[in-house]
Amino acid sequence: MIRNIWLACLALLVAPVHAGVPSMPGVDAPELAALGPNKVGFRSVLLTHQNQPDVEKPNPNGAEVPLVDRNLRVDIWYPATVKNGAKPIIYRGSLWAEPPHPPVNFTQKGMAVSGAKAAGGKHPLVIISHGYSNNPAMMTWLTENLASKGYVVAAIHHNDPNPYVTSPSTRAAPNFNRPRDIVFVAGELRAVLGDLIDADNVALIGYSQGGYGVLTAGGASLDPAGPNMDLVAGGWLKTFARGRAQADAMALKGVKAIVALAPAGGAPRSLWGAEGLAALTAPLLLIHGDSDPVVDYKSGALAVFNGAVNSHRYLLTYKQAGHAIALNPAPPEMRGTVWDMDWFEDPIWRQDRLNAINLHFITAFLAVHLRKDDSKAAYLNVAVENSDDGQWNAPAGTAWGAYSPGGEGVTLWKGFQRRHAQGMMLQHQAAAK
């Protein structure tokens, strides 16, 4: 009994300070997933987009849409100077429960320190758009990790309507709001963050509905005959479709890179069409599971990859993975029912494993396109598309957990450990000339 108590106390002493923090990958993570050298600060700001059409709540006739001030909470992570002993943040969020139950509240451990003094300046800016009905507290695996690597990361609270009790018109409202929110927030942050950011060095990252948002805000023009054009109240989505006077207002100029994870917008018919996808010119990293039951892989990321012919682009595919490929592992409060857990977790893939691989490739992609670090391109331009085919005859004495060096005679994906590059495809296409 005494021995067991002693062992339990020893385990507490040697446990990582930030145990259970999603932004801190485990020992089996690929090379570039590791945290960067910076401590991380956190702040939240409220931005108001004045006189916007409230397409979620049109007048009863459905044709008239009132104008309201759209309030957007934006969470911001940044490289910081953190005092010794500073207490890391606990994030809080809420998700719709299985009908008819009320929403479920949850907490998530973080490593960032709220209000910490910002360090340095002219950092690249990364804007993140979450999935439908999600919130930024579900993607801290990404936000904190990127901030530790010298990026300022801004995640928007889009405040989506409840999809389980609303009309088709209301459920379609985010097709209008997402890209508009992203463009507005990007403009406002130039003033809010000042010299902390390089306002001309911006990347967009979106998951699911947020994937649609960043692709559209990143330059994919909307097909005036596409789906949901007639569903969005008051014809407001049509107002910003390709060929219309306000079409350019749906896009953010000068985006340097776009990452879209399980991006919506391609099914049942593309919201952009061939011409809209061809309008994308920013470098593009697409990530998707090929067994996604929510956003079809073939008409989702694969269709975007094939259609964005004027973009230098990559497609990372997780074999047999579903839709939940971009969220934190489920916190304790979300493990009580299958419905709650399925918000966060893939049925087959370990969630921390998905996040670590995502971080590895997103880190390389942003380094190449925002920091002009061409040395990281070797992590993207893999020797074999199918990860299962990779080989590395490591020299005798090489540590078992060593990372593949890539290069001549090595086809195991660079930065992965032996037996840990399995179940993936990574395709690459250069932009059309």
Side-chain angles (χ1 to χ4, degrees), residues 38-52:
N38 298 287
K39 301 296 184 180
V40 178
F42 172 85
R43 61 182 290 204
S44 190
V45 298
L46 184 66
L47 304 177
T48 300
H49 200 179
Q50 296 180 340
N51 296 321
Q52 294 304 297

Side-chain angles (χ1 to χ4, degrees), residues 124-147:
L125 173 65
V126 179
I127 297 175
I128 292 181
S129 181
H130 60 66
Y132 198 119
S133 295
N134 295 179
N135 54 70
M138 302 171 74
M139 295 185 70
T140 58
W141 65 270
L142 177 63
T143 55
E144 289 190 338
N145 189 284
L146 290 182

